[in-house]
Amino acid sequence: MPTLICDCNQTMPLQPPTLGAALNEKLTLHSALCRREIGSFQKAMTTGDDVVVACTQEKRVFAEVASQTEGVTSVIKFVNIRETGGWSKDGASASPKIAALLAASHLPDAEPVATVTYKSSGRLLIVGPLDRAEQIAALVADTLDVTIFAQGVSAQPQQGFPAQERKYPVISGEQLSLTGWLGAFEASWQKSNAIDLDLCTRCNACVTACPEGAIDLSYQVNADKCTAHRDCVAVCKVAGAIDFTREPQKVTEKFDTVLDLGASPLIGLHAPPQGYFAVNASAGLASPGLLPAVMKLRELVGEFEKPKFFAYKQKLCAHSRNETVGCNACVDICSAQAIRSEKSRQQIVVNPNLCVGCGACTTVCPTGALTYAYPRASEQGVRLKTLLSTYTKVGGTHPVLLLHSQTQGQQTVEALGRAAQLNKTVRGVPANVIPQPLWHTASAGIDLWLSAIALGASQVAVLVTDEEAPAYLEGLADQMNVAQALLTGMGYAGVHFQLVRASASGDEPLKTLDAALQALSRARPAVPSATARFAVVQEKRSTLDMALDHLMSHAPAPLPEAVALPAKGSPFGNLKVNADTCTLCLSCVSACPASALQDNPDRPQLRFIEKNCVQCGLCASTCPENAITLEPRLLLTPQRKEARVLNESQPYQCIRCSKPFGTLKAIESMLGKLAGHAMFQGAAADRLKMCGDCRVIDLYSAENETKITDIR
């Protein structure tokens, strides 16, 4: 795979021999690859191999040239080594990082996954003041089929709006609600106003006649102002559009896209559905964000696809058993409300149309029932291993992985690099800090973070900006607390995981980010004595086990018996059972989704394998005696993988045949609770002490018992 590197005007101290040795190819340093040396690019594109171009600034130029060059069959891959590495005060020592970035760009693209399809025919609903809605409708009516849901008229309407001409269908009402997504929105409202807009001729007679000014040019009666003079009814006899006795009607209509200009958004989610745009249009066409939303709406006609970002395995899910809810982490963290509980079927349901691919659900899932599918964890693991191994191969030390989003996070990193190149008061991305873009920062969690440390990283930092939902920041912080507690408990001194907060614009935020990255680059936390060689796999618990085994094997100090973990977000832990109250009913065993709790078919015992426990709490919620308590921790001894007895009891033997049929404590508890019951006295009480077979025999052999055949 040919690699083309370019240093325009010699602004980066690149070392082609060093980089070429890391990539096992001979590199030529270009100075004007996108201009007078474009022939080198064209030649590489005819080789048939994928071509890596170390320049993201001129993507459009390279793509255009490739499309106009005969015999081109190669695929272009772009990688940024300038703002992320060369444009830094540490640029002279950034060769290991640049080599790592180039090596990672050679990796194959993520395996394709199933897609989610949206179909839009261009039916747009604009919600808001009629005059504002008509102004915007005029900008899109040539492309979209516009319907306006009028919510009065703005306080300062522009001259000529609302227009007298009825250019667009106008609807109105109360209790408007909206559900759905691109191509499948459903709006519902109560049609309760006295003026029927379908019958209204806009003659304005009612507006003129109303003494209270309760009717504006949206042609709806303001009930708060109306004092029931009914002058409007008198002047509307011909059209008959006004009827105060009309019964409210429930109306539902379908739309493909929605532009919400209302004072309060109909959908207040941090991640609203595809095709829904909420903009405060109080400043008219000059309102911030309005014109970009209009441009996007114009493009949303046709058929669209996106990856199905998640994979779900119900058998691993710890959400519910027997309609009792245990783990609810994914439902709670989803900022798109794409996940709902279906406890009657012992599962959660993810709506792929609402899912925005943030991956936060997979990060907080303790079992790995939800996994991120595009790219898969295994593919991310290969990328991390390539970055870290190449960085070390070229002589880099103390690597810090900086995970960031492909949107605002990427913009922030690039802005920092540009500021450093312009000799502003920032140093740029340090030489040992390796930026790595993700679709979303919440898509990588404790399994990848711990694997990165095992594979050679000294720290993992996640760069977050204003685009992350508050719930995501909280979830990431909780997971980092768990990961850090694990390493600290194993004797690894220092801080290994950090959230770095930044803004995408402004000099002061860049200075703050620069200071944070410089502090990261100088830190020297303890790391394993050897680099791991395992491969990250798609199964989260398997990856965690391999990472933890390596970290324990190469810990810098003798290990304690166990490491206490934070209660919030811990995927590991112990169970404490109160032997005085536990009756060994074993309802917890049937509720456990991870096979951490087990019975013993040979004797009354409750056994526990701590390695399997995910701390979902289903056992504690199910226990009728409230005898189970969760204890978040990681046991570091071999007993973690072995079954141990939490509680056991003597078997209770049938008083008739001596066959054991229950536990002594359970039978005694039952006898105690039924001792005063009139139906369980004398012989009936003795039958409670018998096994199932002997109870039947005793009933049929008892002479004083009434049999069904005796009833006539």
Short mmCIF file of all heavy atoms in Angstrom, two decimals, residues 35-90:
data_model
loop_
_atom_site.label_atom_id
_atom_site.label_comp_id
_atom_site.label_asym_id
_atom_site.label_seq_id
_atom_site.Cartn_x
_atom_site.Cartn_y
_atom_site.Cartn_z
N ARG A 35 -0.15 19.89 -6.08
CA ARG A 35 0.04 20.86 -7.16
C ARG A 35 1.00 20.29 -8.21
O ARG A 35 0.63 19.44 -8.98
CB ARG A 35 0.56 22.19 -6.59
CG ARG A 35 -0.39 22.86 -5.60
CD ARG A 35 -1.69 23.31 -6.25
NE ARG A 35 -2.52 24.07 -5.33
CZ ARG A 35 -3.49 23.57 -4.57
NH1 ARG A 35 -3.70 22.26 -4.58
NH2 ARG A 35 -4.22 24.34 -3.80
N ARG A 36 2.24 20.76 -8.23
CA ARG A 36 3.15 20.37 -9.31
C ARG A 36 3.59 18.91 -9.24
O ARG A 36 4.06 18.36 -10.25
CB ARG A 36 4.37 21.29 -9.31
CG ARG A 36 5.28 21.16 -8.12
CD ARG A 36 6.55 22.01 -8.28
NE ARG A 36 7.45 21.84 -7.16
CZ ARG A 36 7.42 22.58 -6.06
NH1 ARG A 36 6.50 23.53 -5.95
NH2 ARG A 36 8.27 22.36 -5.07
N GLU A 37 3.46 18.26 -8.06
CA GLU A 37 3.85 16.85 -7.94
C GLU A 37 2.65 15.91 -7.99
O GLU A 37 2.73 14.77 -7.54
CB GLU A 37 4.62 16.64 -6.62
CG GLU A 37 5.94 17.40 -6.57
CD GLU A 37 6.64 17.24 -5.23
OE1 GLU A 37 6.03 17.58 -4.19
OE2 GLU A 37 7.78 16.74 -5.21
N ILE A 38 1.55 16.39 -8.53
CA ILE A 38 0.33 15.57 -8.58
C ILE A 38 0.53 14.30 -9.39
O ILE A 38 -0.16 13.31 -9.22
CB ILE A 38 -0.84 16.41 -9.14
CG1 ILE A 38 -2.17 15.73 -8.86
CG2 ILE A 38 -0.66 16.65 -10.64
CD1 ILE A 38 -2.54 15.70 -7.41
N GLY A 39 1.55 14.32 -10.29
CA GLY A 39 1.83 13.12 -11.08
C GLY A 39 2.21 11.93 -10.22
O GLY A 39 1.88 10.78 -10.55
N SER A 40 2.90 12.17 -9.12
CA SER A 40 3.26 11.07 -8.21
C SER A 40 2.00 10.44 -7.62
O SER A 40 1.93 9.21 -7.45
CB SER A 40 4.16 11.60 -7.09
OG SER A 40 5.37 12.10 -7.61
N PHE A 41 1.03 11.27 -7.32
CA PHE A 41 -0.25 10.75 -6.80
C PHE A 41 -0.96 9.93 -7.86
O PHE A 41 -1.46 8.83 -7.60
CB PHE A 41 -1.12 11.92 -6.34
CG PHE A 41 -2.54 11.53 -6.05
CD1 PHE A 41 -2.87 10.81 -4.91
CD2 PHE A 41 -3.56 11.88 -6.93
CE1 PHE A 41 -4.18 10.45 -4.65
CE2 PHE A 41 -4.87 11.52 -6.68
CZ PHE A 41 -5.18 10.81 -5.54
N GLN A 42 -1.00 10.45 -9.10
CA GLN A 42 -1.67 9.73 -10.17
C GLN A 42 -1.00 8.38 -10.45
O GLN A 42 -1.68 7.38 -10.70
CB GLN A 42 -1.68 10.59 -11.44
CG GLN A 42 -2.58 11.82 -11.34
CD GLN A 42 -2.48 12.69 -12.56
OE1 GLN A 42 -1.39 13.16 -12.90
NE2 GLN A 42 -3.60 12.91 -13.22
N LYS A 43 0.31 8.36 -10.39
CA LYS A 43 1.03 7.10 -10.61
C LYS A 43 0.69 6.07 -9.54
O LYS A 43 0.48 4.89 -9.83
CB LYS A 43 2.53 7.38 -10.64
CG LYS A 43 3.39 6.15 -10.90
CD LYS A 43 4.87 6.51 -10.93
CE LYS A 43 5.72 5.26 -11.15
NZ LYS A 43 7.19 5.60 -11.17
N ALA A 44 0.66 6.54 -8.29
CA ALA A 44 0.33 5.62 -7.19
C ALA A 44 -1.09 5.09 -7.32
O ALA A 44 -1.37 3.94 -6.97
CB ALA A 44 0.51 6.33 -5.85
N MET A 45 -1.99 5.91 -7.85
CA MET A 45 -3.39 5.50 -7.95
C MET A 45 -3.62 4.44 -9.01
O MET A 45 -4.67 3.80 -9.04
CB MET A 45 -4.26 6.72 -8.26
CG MET A 45 -4.40 7.70 -7.10
SD MET A 45 -5.17 6.96 -5.64
CE MET A 45 -6.81 6.61 -6.27
N THR A 46 -2.66 4.23 -9.90
CA THR A 46 -2.82 3.22 -10.95
C THR A 46 -2.21 1.88 -10.57
O THR A 46 -2.22 0.94 -11.36
CB THR A 46 -2.17 3.71 -12.26
OG1 THR A 46 -0.78 3.98 -12.03
CG2 THR A 46 -2.86 4.97 -12.76
N THR A 47 -1.67 1.78 -9.35
CA THR A 47 -1.05 0.51 -8.92
C THR A 47 -2.08 -0.55 -8.57
O THR A 47 -1.76 -1.74 -8.53
CB THR A 47 -0.14 0.75 -7.71
OG1 THR A 47 -0.93 1.25 -6.61
CG2 THR A 47 0.96 1.76 -8.04
N GLY A 48 -3.28 -0.14 -8.28
CA GLY A 48 -4.31 -1.09 -7.86
C GLY A 48 -4.38 -1.30 -6.37
O GLY A 48 -5.35 -1.85 -5.85
N ASP A 49 -3.34 -0.85 -5.64
CA ASP A 49 -3.34 -0.95 -4.18
C ASP A 49 -3.97 0.30 -3.58
O ASP A 49 -3.98 1.37 -4.19
CB ASP A 49 -1.90 -1.08 -3.65
CG ASP A 49 -1.25 -2.37 -4.10
OD1 ASP A 49 -1.97 -3.37 -4.23
OD2 ASP A 49 -0.02 -2.36 -4.32
N ASP A 50 -4.50 0.15 -2.36
CA ASP A 50 -4.99 1.33 -1.65
C ASP A 50 -3.84 2.31 -1.44
O ASP A 50 -2.69 1.90 -1.21
CB ASP A 50 -5.57 0.94 -0.29
CG ASP A 50 -6.86 0.14 -0.43
OD1 ASP A 50 -7.34 -0.01 -1.56
OD2 ASP A 50 -7.37 -0.33 0.60
N VAL A 51 -4.14 3.59 -1.53
CA VAL A 51 -3.12 4.63 -1.40
C VAL A 51 -3.42 5.47 -0.18
O VAL A 51 -4.55 5.96 0.00
CB VAL A 51 -3.08 5.52 -2.66
CG1 VAL A 51 -2.07 6.66 -2.48
CG2 VAL A 51 -2.72 4.70 -3.89
N VAL A 52 -2.41 5.64 0.69
CA VAL A 52 -2.54 6.47 1.88
C VAL A 52 -1.94 7.84 1.57
O VAL A 52 -0.77 7.93 1.19
CB VAL A 52 -1.84 5.84 3.10
CG1 VAL A 52 -1.84 6.82 4.27
CG2 VAL A 52 -2.53 4.55 3.48
N VAL A 53 -2.74 8.87 1.71
CA VAL A 53 -2.29 10.24 1.49
C VAL A 53 -2.27 10.96 2.84
O VAL A 53 -3.33 11.10 3.48
CB VAL A 53 -3.20 10.99 0.49
CG1 VAL A 53 -2.73 12.44 0.32
CG2 VAL A 53 -3.21 10.27 -0.85
N ALA A 54 -1.10 11.42 3.25
CA ALA A 54 -0.97 12.05 4.57
C ALA A 54 -1.30 13.54 4.46
O ALA A 54 -0.48 14.41 4.79
CB ALA A 54 0.43 11.84 5.12
N CYS A 55 -2.50 13.81 4.00
CA CYS A 55 -2.98 15.19 3.90
C CYS A 55 -4.50 15.15 3.85
O CYS A 55 -5.07 14.51 2.96
CB CYS A 55 -2.43 15.87 2.65
SG CYS A 55 -3.12 17.53 2.37
N THR A 56 -5.12 15.80 4.80
CA THR A 56 -6.59 15.86 4.79
C THR A 56 -7.11 17.19 4.28
O THR A 56 -8.29 17.33 3.97
CB THR A 56 -7.14 15.62 6.21
OG1 THR A 56 -6.53 16.56 7.12
CG2 THR A 56 -6.84 14.22 6.69
N GLN A 57 -6.22 18.17 4.16
CA GLN A 57 -6.65 19.50 3.73
C GLN A 57 -7.16 19.48 2.29
O GLN A 57 -8.13 20.15 1.94
CB GLN A 57 -5.49 20.48 3.86
CG GLN A 57 -5.78 21.88 3.30
CD GLN A 57 -4.60 22.81 3.43
OE1 GLN A 57 -4.18 23.09 4.54
NE2 GLN A 57 -4.06 23.27 2.30
N GLU A 58 -6.49 18.72 1.40
CA GLU A 58 -6.81 18.74 -0.02
C GLU A 58 -7.53 17.47 -0.47
O GLU A 58 -7.32 16.97 -1.57
CB GLU A 58 -5.53 18.94 -0.84
CG GLU A 58 -4.76 20.20 -0.51
CD GLU A 58 -5.54 21.47 -0.84
OE1 GLU A 58 -6.50 21.39 -1.63
OE2 GLU A 58 -5.19 22.54 -0.32
N LYS A 59 -8.39 16.94 0.39
CA LYS A 59 -9.16 15.75 0.02
C LYS A 59 -9.90 15.94 -1.29
O LYS A 59 -9.91 15.07 -2.17
CB LYS A 59 -10.16 15.42 1.13
CG LYS A 59 -9.62 14.66 2.31
CD LYS A 59 -10.77 14.33 3.26
CE LYS A 59 -10.30 13.54 4.46
NZ LYS A 59 -11.44 13.20 5.36
N ARG A 60 -10.55 17.08 -1.41
CA ARG A 60 -11.37 17.33 -2.60
C ARG A 60 -10.52 17.32 -3.87
O ARG A 60 -10.90 16.72 -4.89
CB ARG A 60 -12.10 18.67 -2.48
CG ARG A 60 -13.04 18.98 -3.63
CD ARG A 60 -13.55 20.40 -3.57
NE ARG A 60 -12.46 21.35 -3.65
CZ ARG A 60 -11.89 21.73 -4.80
NH1 ARG A 60 -12.30 21.20 -5.94
NH2 ARG A 60 -10.91 22.61 -4.81
N VAL A 61 -9.34 17.94 -3.81
CA VAL A 61 -8.47 17.99 -4.98
C VAL A 61 -8.02 16.59 -5.38
O VAL A 61 -8.09 16.20 -6.56
CB VAL A 61 -7.24 18.89 -4.69
CG1 VAL A 61 -6.21 18.77 -5.82
CG2 VAL A 61 -7.67 20.32 -4.50
N PHE A 62 -7.57 15.80 -4.40
CA PHE A 62 -7.09 14.45 -4.71
C PHE A 62 -8.22 13.59 -5.26
O PHE A 62 -8.02 12.82 -6.21
CB PHE A 62 -6.48 13.81 -3.47
CG PHE A 62 -5.15 14.39 -3.07
CD1 PHE A 62 -4.98 15.03 -1.86
CD2 PHE A 62 -4.06 14.30 -3.93
CE1 PHE A 62 -3.76 15.57 -1.49
CE2 PHE A 62 -2.83 14.83 -3.57
CZ PHE A 62 -2.67 15.47 -2.35
N ALA A 63 -9.40 13.69 -4.67
CA ALA A 63 -10.53 12.90 -5.16
C ALA A 63 -10.90 13.30 -6.58
O ALA A 63 -11.22 12.44 -7.42
CB ALA A 63 -11.72 13.08 -4.23
N GLU A 64 -10.84 14.57 -6.87
CA GLU A 64 -11.18 15.06 -8.21
C GLU A 64 -10.16 14.59 -9.24
O GLU A 64 -10.52 14.13 -10.33
CB GLU A 64 -11.25 16.59 -8.19
CG GLU A 64 -11.82 17.22 -9.44
CD GLU A 64 -12.00 18.71 -9.28
OE1 GLU A 64 -12.75 19.13 -8.38
OE2 GLU A 64 -11.36 19.47 -10.04
N VAL A 65 -8.88 14.67 -8.90
CA VAL A 65 -7.83 14.21 -9.80
C VAL A 65 -7.96 12.71 -10.04
O VAL A 65 -7.80 12.23 -11.18
CB VAL A 65 -6.44 14.57 -9.24
CG1 VAL A 65 -5.33 13.89 -10.05
CG2 VAL A 65 -6.24 16.07 -9.24
N ALA A 66 -8.23 11.95 -8.99
CA ALA A 66 -8.37 10.50 -9.14
C ALA A 66 -9.52 10.15 -10.07
O ALA A 66 -9.42 9.23 -10.89
CB ALA A 66 -8.59 9.87 -7.77
N SER A 67 -10.62 10.90 -9.98
CA SER A 67 -11.78 10.62 -10.84
C SER A 67 -11.50 10.95 -12.29
O SER A 67 -12.15 10.41 -13.19
CB SER A 67 -12.99 11.41 -10.35
OG SER A 67 -12.78 12.81 -10.51
N GLN A 68 -10.52 11.82 -12.56
CA GLN A 68 -10.22 12.24 -13.92
C GLN A 68 -9.02 11.50 -14.51
O GLN A 68 -8.63 11.74 -15.65
CB GLN A 68 -9.95 13.75 -13.95
CG GLN A 68 -11.15 14.59 -13.57
CD GLN A 68 -10.80 16.06 -13.44
OE1 GLN A 68 -9.64 16.46 -13.62
NE2 GLN A 68 -11.80 16.88 -13.13
N THR A 69 -8.42 10.59 -13.72
CA THR A 69 -7.25 9.85 -14.17
C THR A 69 -7.66 8.49 -14.70
O THR A 69 -8.38 7.73 -14.03
CB THR A 69 -6.23 9.68 -13.02
OG1 THR A 69 -5.87 10.97 -12.52
CG2 THR A 69 -4.98 8.97 -13.51
N GLU A 70 -7.21 8.15 -15.90
CA GLU A 70 -7.56 6.87 -16.51
C GLU A 70 -6.87 5.72 -15.80
O GLU A 70 -5.74 5.84 -15.34
CB GLU A 70 -7.17 6.86 -17.98
CG GLU A 70 -8.06 7.72 -18.87
CD GLU A 70 -7.75 7.50 -20.33
OE1 GLU A 70 -7.25 6.41 -20.67
OE2 GLU A 70 -8.00 8.41 -21.13
N GLY A 71 -7.58 4.60 -15.73
CA GLY A 71 -7.00 3.38 -15.17
C GLY A 71 -6.90 3.36 -13.66
O GLY A 71 -6.20 2.51 -13.10
N VAL A 72 -7.59 4.26 -12.99
CA VAL A 72 -7.52 4.31 -11.52
C VAL A 72 -8.45 3.26 -10.92
O VAL A 72 -9.65 3.24 -11.22
CB VAL A 72 -7.89 5.71 -11.00
CG1 VAL A 72 -8.09 5.66 -9.49
CG2 VAL A 72 -6.80 6.70 -11.35
N THR A 73 -7.89 2.39 -10.12
CA THR A 73 -8.68 1.38 -9.41
C THR A 73 -8.42 1.42 -7.91
O THR A 73 -9.04 0.68 -7.16
CB THR A 73 -8.37 -0.03 -9.94
OG1 THR A 73 -6.96 -0.27 -9.79
CG2 THR A 73 -8.75 -0.16 -11.41
N SER A 74 -7.49 2.23 -7.48
CA SER A 74 -7.09 2.27 -6.08
C SER A 74 -8.09 3.07 -5.24
O SER A 74 -8.80 3.95 -5.75
CB SER A 74 -5.71 2.90 -5.93
OG SER A 74 -4.74 2.15 -6.64
N VAL A 75 -8.11 2.76 -3.96
CA VAL A 75 -8.93 3.50 -2.99
C VAL A 75 -8.01 4.44 -2.22
O VAL A 75 -6.91 4.05 -1.81
CB VAL A 75 -9.63 2.52 -2.02
CG1 VAL A 75 -10.37 3.29 -0.94
CG2 VAL A 75 -10.58 1.62 -2.78
N ILE A 76 -8.46 5.69 -2.04
CA ILE A 76 -7.64 6.66 -1.31
C ILE A 76 -8.01 6.64 0.16
O ILE A 76 -9.19 6.66 0.52
CB ILE A 76 -7.85 8.09 -1.83
CG1 ILE A 76 -7.89 8.13 -3.35
CG2 ILE A 76 -6.76 9.02 -1.32
CD1 ILE A 76 -8.27 9.49 -3.91
N LYS A 77 -7.00 6.61 1.01
CA LYS A 77 -7.19 6.77 2.45
C LYS A 77 -6.42 8.00 2.91
O LYS A 77 -5.25 8.17 2.54
CB LYS A 77 -6.71 5.53 3.21
CG LYS A 77 -7.51 4.27 2.92
CD LYS A 77 -7.05 3.12 3.78
CE LYS A 77 -7.93 1.90 3.59
NZ LYS A 77 -7.55 0.79 4.50
N PHE A 78 -7.07 8.83 3.69
CA PHE A 78 -6.44 10.06 4.15
C PHE A 78 -6.12 9.97 5.64
O PHE A 78 -6.88 9.38 6.41
CB PHE A 78 -7.36 11.26 3.91
CG PHE A 78 -7.62 11.53 2.45
CD1 PHE A 78 -8.78 11.05 1.83
CD2 PHE A 78 -6.71 12.25 1.69
CE1 PHE A 78 -9.01 11.29 0.49
CE2 PHE A 78 -6.95 12.50 0.34
CZ PHE A 78 -8.11 12.02 -0.26
N VAL A 79 -5.01 10.55 6.04
CA VAL A 79 -4.63 10.59 7.45
C VAL A 79 -4.00 11.94 7.73
O VAL A 79 -3.24 12.48 6.92
CB VAL A 79 -3.66 9.43 7.80
CG1 VAL A 79 -2.41 9.48 6.94
CG2 VAL A 79 -3.29 9.48 9.28
N ASN A 80 -4.34 12.51 8.87
CA ASN A 80 -3.83 13.82 9.28
C ASN A 80 -2.61 13.62 10.18
O ASN A 80 -2.74 13.14 11.30
CB ASN A 80 -4.92 14.59 10.03
CG ASN A 80 -4.51 16.02 10.36
OD1 ASN A 80 -3.34 16.38 10.27
ND2 ASN A 80 -5.47 16.82 10.76
N ILE A 81 -1.44 13.99 9.68
CA ILE A 81 -0.22 13.94 10.51
C ILE A 81 0.29 15.36 10.80
O ILE A 81 1.32 15.51 11.45
CB ILE A 81 0.90 13.13 9.84
CG1 ILE A 81 1.33 13.79 8.51
CG2 ILE A 81 0.46 11.69 9.61
CD1 ILE A 81 2.57 13.18 7.90
N ARG A 82 -0.43 16.35 10.31
CA ARG A 82 0.04 17.73 10.44
C ARG A 82 -0.44 18.34 11.76
O ARG A 82 0.34 18.55 12.68
CB ARG A 82 -0.46 18.55 9.25
CG ARG A 82 0.18 19.93 9.15
CD ARG A 82 -0.24 20.62 7.86
NE ARG A 82 -1.67 20.90 7.84
CZ ARG A 82 -2.29 21.49 6.81
NH1 ARG A 82 -1.61 21.81 5.72
NH2 ARG A 82 -3.58 21.72 6.86
N GLU A 83 -1.76 18.59 11.88
CA GLU A 83 -2.28 19.18 13.12
C GLU A 83 -2.12 18.24 14.31
O GLU A 83 -2.01 18.68 15.45
CB GLU A 83 -3.75 19.56 12.96
CG GLU A 83 -4.01 20.79 12.12
CD GLU A 83 -4.12 20.49 10.65
OE1 GLU A 83 -3.82 19.34 10.25
OE2 GLU A 83 -4.50 21.38 9.88
N THR A 84 -2.12 16.93 14.04
CA THR A 84 -2.04 15.96 15.14
C THR A 84 -0.62 15.66 15.58
O THR A 84 -0.40 15.10 16.64
CB THR A 84 -2.71 14.63 14.72
OG1 THR A 84 -2.04 14.15 13.54
CG2 THR A 84 -4.18 14.83 14.43
N GLY A 85 0.37 16.03 14.74
CA GLY A 85 1.74 15.68 15.08
C GLY A 85 2.78 16.70 14.70
O GLY A 85 3.51 17.22 15.53
N GLY A 86 2.88 17.00 13.39
CA GLY A 86 3.95 17.86 12.91
C GLY A 86 3.83 19.30 13.35
O GLY A 86 4.85 19.96 13.62
N TRP A 87 2.60 19.82 13.41
CA TRP A 87 2.40 21.19 13.84
C TRP A 87 2.33 21.24 15.36
O TRP A 87 1.26 21.36 15.96
CB TRP A 87 1.13 21.76 13.22
CG TRP A 87 1.34 22.23 11.81
CD1 TRP A 87 2.49 22.13 11.07
CD2 TRP A 87 0.38 22.88 10.98
NE1 TRP A 87 2.30 22.66 9.82
CE2 TRP A 87 1.01 23.14 9.73
CE3 TRP A 87 -0.94 23.26 11.14
CZ2 TRP A 87 0.36 23.76 8.67
CZ3 TRP A 87 -1.59 23.88 10.09
CH2 TRP A 87 -0.95 24.13 8.86
N SER A 88 3.45 21.14 15.98
CA SER A 88 3.55 21.14 17.43
C SER A 88 4.94 21.59 17.81
O SER A 88 5.90 21.43 17.04
CB SER A 88 3.27 19.74 18.00
OG SER A 88 3.63 19.64 19.35
N LYS A 89 5.04 22.19 18.97
CA LYS A 89 6.36 22.56 19.46
C LYS A 89 7.22 21.33 19.69
O LYS A 89 8.44 21.42 19.78
CB LYS A 89 6.22 23.37 20.76
CG LYS A 89 5.46 24.69 20.60
CD LYS A 89 6.18 25.67 19.68
CE LYS A 89 5.55 27.06 19.73
NZ LYS A 89 4.22 27.12 19.12
N ASP A 90 6.57 20.15 19.79
CA ASP A 90 7.30 18.89 19.95
C ASP A 90 7.44 18.16 18.62
O ASP A 90 7.73 16.96 18.58
CB ASP A 90 6.56 17.96 20.93
CG ASP A 90 6.48 18.53 22.33
OD1 ASP A 90 7.26 19.46 22.62
OD2 ASP A 90 5.64 18.07 23.11
#
